[in-house]
PDB file of all heavy atoms in Angstrom:
ATOM      1  N   ALA A   1      61.582 -51.339 -72.372  1.00 92.00           N
ATOM      2  CA  ALA A   1      61.796 -51.675 -73.779  1.00 92.00           C
ATOM      3  C   ALA A   1      63.010 -52.570 -73.979  1.00 92.00           C
ATOM      4  O   ALA A   1      63.011 -53.454 -74.838  1.00 92.00           O
ATOM      5  CB  ALA A   1      61.945 -50.392 -74.598  1.00 92.00           C
ATOM      6  N   GLU A   2      64.051 -52.357 -73.152  1.00 93.00           N
ATOM      7  CA  GLU A   2      65.290 -53.108 -73.344  1.00 93.00           C
ATOM      8  C   GLU A   2      65.259 -54.498 -72.708  1.00 93.00           C
ATOM      9  O   GLU A   2      66.177 -55.304 -72.909  1.00 93.00           O
ATOM     10  CB  GLU A   2      66.481 -52.326 -72.779  1.00 93.00           C
ATOM     11  CG  GLU A   2      66.494 -52.158 -71.266  1.00 93.00           C
ATOM     12  CD  GLU A   2      65.696 -50.948 -70.774  1.00 93.00           C
ATOM     13  OE1 GLU A   2      64.911 -50.386 -71.570  1.00 93.00           O
ATOM     14  OE2 GLU A   2      65.858 -50.595 -69.597  1.00 93.00           O
ATOM     15  N   VAL A   3      64.210 -54.797 -71.948  1.00 93.00           N
ATOM     16  CA  VAL A   3      64.101 -56.106 -71.293  1.00 93.00           C
ATOM     17  C   VAL A   3      63.120 -56.968 -72.074  1.00 93.00           C
ATOM     18  O   VAL A   3      61.936 -56.640 -72.161  1.00 93.00           O
ATOM     19  CB  VAL A   3      63.648 -55.963 -69.825  1.00 93.00           C
ATOM     20  CG1 VAL A   3      63.483 -57.342 -69.182  1.00 93.00           C
ATOM     21  CG2 VAL A   3      64.644 -55.122 -69.039  1.00 93.00           C
ATOM     22  N   PRO A   4      63.577 -58.076 -72.639  1.00 95.00           N
ATOM     23  CA  PRO A   4      62.671 -58.921 -73.430  1.00 95.00           C
ATOM     24  C   PRO A   4      61.752 -59.753 -72.542  1.00 95.00           C
ATOM     25  O   PRO A   4      61.960 -59.873 -71.326  1.00 95.00           O
ATOM     26  CB  PRO A   4      63.630 -59.821 -74.207  1.00 95.00           C
ATOM     27  CG  PRO A   4      64.833 -59.934 -73.318  1.00 95.00           C
ATOM     28  CD  PRO A   4      64.960 -58.593 -72.636  1.00 95.00           C
ATOM     29  N   SER A   5      60.741 -60.331 -73.141  1.00 97.00           N
ATOM     30  CA  SER A   5      59.938 -61.337 -72.434  1.00 97.00           C
ATOM     31  C   SER A   5      60.875 -62.422 -71.936  1.00 97.00           C
ATOM     32  O   SER A   5      61.883 -62.738 -72.560  1.00 97.00           O
ATOM     33  CB  SER A   5      58.910 -61.951 -73.383  1.00 97.00           C
ATOM     34  OG  SER A   5      58.055 -60.976 -73.924  1.00 97.00           O
ATOM     35  N   HIS A   6      60.535 -63.019 -70.798  1.00 97.00           N
ATOM     36  CA  HIS A   6      61.435 -64.015 -70.240  1.00 97.00           C
ATOM     37  C   HIS A   6      60.709 -64.889 -69.230  1.00 97.00           C
ATOM     38  O   HIS A   6      59.699 -64.493 -68.647  1.00 97.00           O
ATOM     39  CB  HIS A   6      62.639 -63.350 -69.561  1.00 97.00           C
ATOM     40  CG  HIS A   6      62.262 -62.422 -68.444  1.00 97.00           C
ATOM     41  ND1 HIS A   6      61.904 -61.105 -68.677  1.00 97.00           N
ATOM     42  CD2 HIS A   6      62.176 -62.603 -67.101  1.00 97.00           C
ATOM     43  CE1 HIS A   6      61.608 -60.525 -67.529  1.00 97.00           C
ATOM     44  NE2 HIS A   6      61.754 -61.412 -66.558  1.00 97.00           N
ATOM     45  N   TRP A   7      61.265 -66.080 -69.019  1.00 98.00           N
ATOM     46  CA  TRP A   7      60.800 -66.985 -67.984  1.00 98.00           C
ATOM     47  C   TRP A   7      61.548 -66.723 -66.684  1.00 98.00           C
ATOM     48  O   TRP A   7      62.738 -66.387 -66.706  1.00 98.00           O
ATOM     49  CB  TRP A   7      61.020 -68.435 -68.410  1.00 98.00           C
ATOM     50  CG  TRP A   7      59.979 -68.947 -69.360  1.00 98.00           C
ATOM     51  CD1 TRP A   7      59.964 -68.808 -70.723  1.00 98.00           C
ATOM     52  CD2 TRP A   7      58.793 -69.666 -69.002  1.00 98.00           C
ATOM     53  NE1 TRP A   7      58.833 -69.409 -71.237  1.00 98.00           N
ATOM     54  CE2 TRP A   7      58.100 -69.943 -70.197  1.00 98.00           C
ATOM     55  CE3 TRP A   7      58.255 -70.107 -67.790  1.00 98.00           C
ATOM     56  CZ2 TRP A   7      56.897 -70.632 -70.224  1.00 98.00           C
ATOM     57  CZ3 TRP A   7      57.057 -70.802 -67.814  1.00 98.00           C
ATOM     58  CH2 TRP A   7      56.385 -71.052 -69.017  1.00 98.00           C
ATOM     59  N   GLN A   8      60.859 -66.858 -65.555  1.00 98.00           N
ATOM     60  CA  GLN A   8      61.493 -66.753 -64.246  1.00 98.00           C
ATOM     61  C   GLN A   8      61.216 -68.028 -63.448  1.00 98.00           C
ATOM     62  O   GLN A   8      60.120 -68.587 -63.516  1.00 98.00           O
ATOM     63  CB  GLN A   8      60.966 -65.539 -63.474  1.00 98.00           C
ATOM     64  CG  GLN A   8      61.427 -64.206 -64.047  1.00 98.00           C
ATOM     65  CD  GLN A   8      61.009 -63.035 -63.188  1.00 98.00           C
ATOM     66  OE1 GLN A   8      60.159 -63.150 -62.318  1.00 98.00           O
ATOM     67  NE2 GLN A   8      61.616 -61.892 -63.447  1.00 98.00           N
ATOM     68  N   VAL A   9      62.233 -68.451 -62.708  1.00 98.00           N
ATOM     69  CA  VAL A   9      62.120 -69.621 -61.844  1.00 98.00           C
ATOM     70  C   VAL A   9      62.001 -69.157 -60.396  1.00 98.00           C
ATOM     71  O   VAL A   9      62.762 -68.296 -59.948  1.00 98.00           O
ATOM     72  CB  VAL A   9      63.340 -70.543 -61.986  1.00 98.00           C
ATOM     73  CG1 VAL A   9      63.199 -71.758 -61.069  1.00 98.00           C
ATOM     74  CG2 VAL A   9      63.516 -70.990 -63.429  1.00 98.00           C
ATOM     75  N   TYR A  10      61.018 -69.707 -59.679  1.00 98.00           N
ATOM     76  CA  TYR A  10      60.871 -69.479 -58.242  1.00 98.00           C
ATOM     77  C   TYR A  10      61.405 -70.705 -57.504  1.00 98.00           C
ATOM     78  O   TYR A  10      61.078 -71.835 -57.862  1.00 98.00           O
ATOM     79  CB  TYR A  10      59.397 -69.336 -57.856  1.00 98.00           C
ATOM     80  CG  TYR A  10      58.687 -68.095 -58.295  1.00 98.00           C
ATOM     81  CD1 TYR A  10      58.465 -67.812 -59.642  1.00 98.00           C
ATOM     82  CD2 TYR A  10      58.169 -67.202 -57.354  1.00 98.00           C
ATOM     83  CE1 TYR A  10      57.770 -66.687 -60.039  1.00 98.00           C
ATOM     84  CE2 TYR A  10      57.461 -66.074 -57.735  1.00 98.00           C
ATOM     85  CZ  TYR A  10      57.269 -65.814 -59.078  1.00 98.00           C
ATOM     86  OH  TYR A  10      56.566 -64.688 -59.471  1.00 98.00           O
ATOM     87  N   PHE A  11      62.193 -70.462 -56.459  1.00 98.00           N
ATOM     88  CA  PHE A  11      62.661 -71.535 -55.591  1.00 98.00           C
ATOM     89  C   PHE A  11      61.974 -71.436 -54.235  1.00 98.00           C
ATOM     90  O   PHE A  11      61.842 -70.342 -53.675  1.00 98.00           O
ATOM     91  CB  PHE A  11      64.175 -71.452 -55.392  1.00 98.00           C
ATOM     92  CG  PHE A  11      64.964 -71.746 -56.637  1.00 98.00           C
ATOM     93  CD1 PHE A  11      65.401 -70.715 -57.456  1.00 98.00           C
ATOM     94  CD2 PHE A  11      65.262 -73.051 -56.996  1.00 98.00           C
ATOM     95  CE1 PHE A  11      66.132 -70.975 -58.604  1.00 98.00           C
ATOM     96  CE2 PHE A  11      65.991 -73.328 -58.146  1.00 98.00           C
ATOM     97  CZ  PHE A  11      66.427 -72.289 -58.953  1.00 98.00           C
ATOM     98  N   ALA A  12      61.547 -72.563 -53.721  1.00 97.00           N
ATOM     99  CA  ALA A  12      60.946 -72.592 -52.394  1.00 97.00           C
ATOM    100  C   ALA A  12      62.028 -72.460 -51.328  1.00 97.00           C
ATOM    101  O   ALA A  12      63.115 -73.020 -51.456  1.00 97.00           O
ATOM    102  CB  ALA A  12      60.181 -73.892 -52.183  1.00 97.00           C
ATOM    103  N   VAL A  13      61.734 -71.689 -50.287  1.00 97.00           N
ATOM    104  CA  VAL A  13      62.606 -71.570 -49.116  1.00 97.00           C
ATOM    105  C   VAL A  13      61.734 -71.629 -47.874  1.00 97.00           C
ATOM    106  O   VAL A  13      60.531 -71.353 -47.930  1.00 97.00           O
ATOM    107  CB  VAL A  13      63.419 -70.257 -49.130  1.00 97.00           C
ATOM    108  CG1 VAL A  13      64.410 -70.243 -50.285  1.00 97.00           C
ATOM    109  CG2 VAL A  13      62.512 -69.033 -49.190  1.00 97.00           C
ATOM    110  N   GLU A  14      62.328 -71.975 -46.755  1.00 96.00           N
ATOM    111  CA  GLU A  14      61.557 -72.039 -45.514  1.00 96.00           C
ATOM    112  C   GLU A  14      61.247 -70.650 -44.990  1.00 96.00           C
ATOM    113  O   GLU A  14      60.176 -70.412 -44.432  1.00 96.00           O
ATOM    114  CB  GLU A  14      62.319 -72.847 -44.469  1.00 96.00           C
ATOM    115  CG  GLU A  14      62.416 -74.331 -44.793  1.00 96.00           C
ATOM    116  CD  GLU A  14      63.132 -75.110 -43.705  1.00 96.00           C
ATOM    117  OE1 GLU A  14      63.598 -74.471 -42.735  1.00 96.00           O
ATOM    118  OE2 GLU A  14      63.217 -76.338 -43.826  1.00 96.00           O
ATOM    119  N   ASP A  15      62.195 -69.722 -45.158  1.00 97.00           N
ATOM    120  CA  ASP A  15      62.060 -68.372 -44.600  1.00 97.00           C
ATOM    121  C   ASP A  15      62.688 -67.408 -45.591  1.00 97.00           C
ATOM    122  O   ASP A  15      63.909 -67.378 -45.764  1.00 97.00           O
ATOM    123  CB  ASP A  15      62.757 -68.309 -43.237  1.00 97.00           C
ATOM    124  CG  ASP A  15      62.617 -66.966 -42.541  1.00 97.00           C
ATOM    125  OD1 ASP A  15      62.659 -65.921 -43.219  1.00 97.00           O
ATOM    126  OD2 ASP A  15      62.493 -66.952 -41.301  1.00 97.00           O
ATOM    127  N   THR A  16      61.850 -66.610 -46.257  1.00 97.00           N
ATOM    128  CA  THR A  16      62.331 -65.714 -47.309  1.00 97.00           C
ATOM    129  C   THR A  16      63.343 -64.718 -46.782  1.00 97.00           C
ATOM    130  O   THR A  16      64.389 -64.485 -47.404  1.00 97.00           O
ATOM    131  CB  THR A  16      61.140 -64.988 -47.959  1.00 97.00           C
ATOM    132  OG1 THR A  16      60.288 -65.960 -48.573  1.00 97.00           O
ATOM    133  CG2 THR A  16      61.603 -63.994 -49.013  1.00 97.00           C
ATOM    134  N   ASP A  17      63.070 -64.102 -45.646  1.00 97.00           N
ATOM    135  CA  ASP A  17      63.974 -63.076 -45.133  1.00 97.00           C
ATOM    136  C   ASP A  17      65.322 -63.671 -44.726  1.00 97.00           C
ATOM    137  O   ASP A  17      66.374 -63.070 -44.967  1.00 97.00           O
ATOM    138  CB  ASP A  17      63.318 -62.342 -43.967  1.00 97.00           C
ATOM    139  CG  ASP A  17      62.089 -61.568 -44.413  1.00 97.00           C
ATOM    140  OD1 ASP A  17      62.231 -60.407 -44.817  1.00 97.00           O
ATOM    141  OD2 ASP A  17      60.976 -62.139 -44.389  1.00 97.00           O
ATOM    142  N   ALA A  18      65.292 -64.852 -44.111  1.00 97.00           N
ATOM    143  CA  ALA A  18      66.538 -65.514 -43.745  1.00 97.00           C
ATOM    144  C   ALA A  18      67.336 -65.888 -44.988  1.00 97.00           C
ATOM    145  O   ALA A  18      68.569 -65.771 -45.013  1.00 97.00           O
ATOM    146  CB  ALA A  18      66.250 -66.752 -42.901  1.00 97.00           C
ATOM    147  N   ALA A  19      66.637 -66.339 -46.043  1.00 98.00           N
ATOM    148  CA  ALA A  19      67.314 -66.681 -47.293  1.00 98.00           C
ATOM    149  C   ALA A  19      67.931 -65.448 -47.937  1.00 98.00           C
ATOM    150  O   ALA A  19      69.039 -65.516 -48.495  1.00 98.00           O
ATOM    151  CB  ALA A  19      66.336 -67.357 -48.254  1.00 98.00           C
ATOM    152  N   ILE A  20      67.245 -64.322 -47.869  1.00 98.00           N
ATOM    153  CA  ILE A  20      67.806 -63.073 -48.402  1.00 98.00           C
ATOM    154  C   ILE A  20      69.086 -62.712 -47.664  1.00 98.00           C
ATOM    155  O   ILE A  20      70.102 -62.350 -48.270  1.00 98.00           O
ATOM    156  CB  ILE A  20      66.780 -61.938 -48.293  1.00 98.00           C
ATOM    157  CG1 ILE A  20      65.646 -62.140 -49.301  1.00 98.00           C
ATOM    158  CG2 ILE A  20      67.441 -60.569 -48.519  1.00 98.00           C
ATOM    159  CD1 ILE A  20      64.491 -61.171 -49.139  1.00 98.00           C
ATOM    160  N   ASN A  21      69.055 -62.801 -46.354  1.00 98.00           N
ATOM    161  CA  ASN A  21      70.243 -62.473 -45.565  1.00 98.00           C
ATOM    162  C   ASN A  21      71.417 -63.368 -45.931  1.00 98.00           C
ATOM    163  O   ASN A  21      72.557 -62.912 -46.078  1.00 98.00           O
ATOM    164  CB  ASN A  21      69.936 -62.586 -44.071  1.00 98.00           C
ATOM    165  CG  ASN A  21      68.980 -61.510 -43.577  1.00 98.00           C
ATOM    166  OD1 ASN A  21      68.857 -60.453 -44.204  1.00 98.00           O
ATOM    167  ND2 ASN A  21      68.309 -61.771 -42.479  1.00 98.00           N
ATOM    168  N   LYS A  22      71.143 -64.652 -46.093  1.00 98.00           N
ATOM    169  CA  LYS A  22      72.207 -65.590 -46.450  1.00 98.00           C
ATOM    170  C   LYS A  22      72.731 -65.295 -47.848  1.00 98.00           C
ATOM    171  O   LYS A  22      73.952 -65.294 -48.085  1.00 98.00           O
ATOM    172  CB  LYS A  22      71.687 -67.021 -46.357  1.00 98.00           C
ATOM    173  CG  LYS A  22      72.722 -68.087 -46.713  1.00 98.00           C
ATOM    174  CD  LYS A  22      72.160 -69.497 -46.575  1.00 98.00           C
ATOM    175  CE  LYS A  22      72.019 -69.910 -45.127  1.00 98.00           C
ATOM    176  NZ  LYS A  22      71.665 -71.369 -45.010  1.00 98.00           N
ATOM    177  N   ALA A  23      71.816 -65.046 -48.789  1.00 98.00           N
ATOM    178  CA  ALA A  23      72.216 -64.809 -50.180  1.00 98.00           C
ATOM    179  C   ALA A  23      73.027 -63.523 -50.326  1.00 98.00           C
ATOM    180  O   ALA A  23      74.055 -63.499 -51.023  1.00 98.00           O
ATOM    181  CB  ALA A  23      70.979 -64.765 -51.074  1.00 98.00           C
ATOM    182  N   THR A  24      72.589 -62.452 -49.693  1.00 98.00           N
ATOM    183  CA  THR A  24      73.305 -61.180 -49.835  1.00 98.00           C
ATOM    184  C   THR A  24      74.677 -61.243 -49.172  1.00 98.00           C
ATOM    185  O   THR A  24      75.627 -60.606 -49.638  1.00 98.00           O
ATOM    186  CB  THR A  24      72.483 -60.015 -49.269  1.00 98.00           C
ATOM    187  OG1 THR A  24      72.091 -60.304 -47.919  1.00 98.00           O
ATOM    188  CG2 THR A  24      71.231 -59.776 -50.113  1.00 98.00           C
ATOM    189  N   ALA A  25      74.797 -62.030 -48.108  1.00 98.00           N
ATOM    190  CA  ALA A  25      76.100 -62.192 -47.462  1.00 98.00           C
ATOM    191  C   ALA A  25      77.085 -62.891 -48.387  1.00 98.00           C
ATOM    192  O   ALA A  25      78.311 -62.763 -48.226  1.00 98.00           O
ATOM    193  CB  ALA A  25      75.949 -62.980 -46.162  1.00 98.00           C
ATOM    194  N   MET A  26      76.567 -63.629 -49.373  1.00 98.00           N
ATOM    195  CA  MET A  26      77.420 -64.331 -50.335  1.00 98.00           C
ATOM    196  C   MET A  26      77.553 -63.589 -51.659  1.00 98.00           C
ATOM    197  O   MET A  26      78.049 -64.138 -52.643  1.00 98.00           O
ATOM    198  CB  MET A  26      76.870 -65.737 -50.574  1.00 98.00           C
ATOM    199  CG  MET A  26      76.953 -66.650 -49.367  1.00 98.00           C
ATOM    200  SD  MET A  26      76.493 -68.370 -49.765  1.00 98.00           S
ATOM    201  CE  MET A  26      74.722 -68.183 -50.065  1.00 98.00           C
ATOM    202  N   GLY A  27      77.065 -62.340 -51.726  1.00 98.00           N
ATOM    203  CA  GLY A  27      77.251 -61.538 -52.928  1.00 98.00           C
ATOM    204  C   GLY A  27      76.051 -61.361 -53.812  1.00 98.00           C
ATOM    205  O   GLY A  27      76.152 -60.766 -54.894  1.00 98.00           O
ATOM    206  N   ALA A  28      74.883 -61.847 -53.396  1.00 98.00           N
ATOM    207  CA  ALA A  28      73.659 -61.647 -54.179  1.00 98.00           C
ATOM    208  C   ALA A  28      73.127 -60.231 -53.985  1.00 98.00           C
ATOM    209  O   ALA A  28      73.478 -59.537 -53.019  1.00 98.00           O
ATOM    210  CB  ALA A  28      72.601 -62.666 -53.781  1.00 98.00           C
ATOM    211  N   THR A  29      72.248 -59.830 -54.887  1.00 98.00           N
ATOM    212  CA  THR A  29      71.598 -58.519 -54.834  1.00 98.00           C
ATOM    213  C   THR A  29      70.092 -58.712 -54.815  1.00 98.00           C
ATOM    214  O   THR A  29      69.567 -59.535 -55.573  1.00 98.00           O
ATOM    215  CB  THR A  29      71.977 -57.678 -56.069  1.00 98.00           C
ATOM    216  OG1 THR A  29      73.402 -57.569 -56.145  1.00 98.00           O
ATOM    217  CG2 THR A  29      71.370 -56.287 -55.985  1.00 98.00           C
ATOM    218  N   VAL A  30      69.403 -57.965 -53.957  1.00 98.00           N
ATOM    219  CA  VAL A  30      67.944 -57.997 -53.930  1.00 98.00           C
ATOM    220  C   VAL A  30      67.422 -57.025 -54.982  1.00 98.00           C
ATOM    221  O   VAL A  30      67.711 -55.829 -54.936  1.00 98.00           O
ATOM    222  CB  VAL A  30      67.393 -57.621 -52.544  1.00 98.00           C
ATOM    223  CG1 VAL A  30      65.863 -57.648 -52.558  1.00 98.00           C
ATOM    224  CG2 VAL A  30      67.925 -58.576 -51.477  1.00 98.00           C
ATOM    225  N   LEU A  31      66.649 -57.526 -55.936  1.00 97.00           N
ATOM    226  CA  LEU A  31      66.102 -56.700 -57.007  1.00 97.00           C
ATOM    227  C   LEU A  31      64.674 -56.255 -56.735  1.00 97.00           C
ATOM    228  O   LEU A  31      64.241 -55.225 -57.243  1.00 97.00           O
ATOM    229  CB  LEU A  31      66.163 -57.465 -58.335  1.00 97.00           C
ATOM    230  CG  LEU A  31      67.545 -57.938 -58.782  1.00 97.00           C
ATOM    231  CD1 LEU A  31      67.435 -58.713 -60.087  1.00 97.00           C
ATOM    232  CD2 LEU A  31      68.502 -56.761 -58.931  1.00 97.00           C
ATOM    233  N   ASP A  32      63.939 -57.038 -55.955  1.00 96.00           N
ATOM    234  CA  ASP A  32      62.544 -56.702 -55.674  1.00 96.00           C
ATOM    235  C   ASP A  32      62.103 -57.454 -54.421  1.00 96.00           C
ATOM    236  O   ASP A  32      62.468 -58.608 -54.224  1.00 96.00           O
ATOM    237  CB  ASP A  32      61.654 -57.078 -56.857  1.00 96.00           C
ATOM    238  CG  ASP A  32      60.242 -56.515 -56.725  1.00 96.00           C
ATOM    239  OD1 ASP A  32      60.083 -55.437 -56.133  1.00 96.00           O
ATOM    240  OD2 ASP A  32      59.298 -57.169 -57.213  1.00 96.00           O
ATOM    241  N   GLY A  33      61.291 -56.781 -53.598  1.00 91.00           N
ATOM    242  CA  GLY A  33      60.771 -57.426 -52.403  1.00 91.00           C
ATOM    243  C   GLY A  33      61.720 -57.276 -51.233  1.00 91.00           C
ATOM    244  O   GLY A  33      62.658 -56.473 -51.270  1.00 91.00           O
ATOM    245  N   PRO A  34      61.455 -58.074 -50.191  1.00 96.00           N
ATOM    246  CA  PRO A  34      60.429 -59.125 -50.091  1.00 96.00           C
ATOM    247  C   PRO A  34      59.030 -58.540 -49.905  1.00 96.00           C
ATOM    248  O   PRO A  34      58.870 -57.444 -49.377  1.00 96.00           O
ATOM    249  CB  PRO A  34      60.867 -59.916 -48.861  1.00 96.00           C
ATOM    250  CG  PRO A  34      61.572 -58.907 -48.004  1.00 96.00           C
ATOM    251  CD  PRO A  34      62.267 -57.991 -48.962  1.00 96.00           C
ATOM    252  N   ALA A  35      58.040 -59.283 -50.359  1.00 95.00           N
ATOM    253  CA  ALA A  35      56.650 -58.869 -50.244  1.00 95.00           C
ATOM    254  C   ALA A  35      55.781 -60.095 -50.038  1.00 95.00           C
ATOM    255  O   ALA A  35      56.059 -61.177 -50.583  1.00 95.00           O
ATOM    256  CB  ALA A  35      56.207 -58.132 -51.509  1.00 95.00           C
TER     257      ALA A  35
END
């Protein structure tokens, strides 16, 4: 209920898991996936 409708942007990467590792090492958080 507290989350409104919204647009999401997808970015292409060569390797999703490698990108996750790089992103989290820089302070990102994984909210869903990978799947």
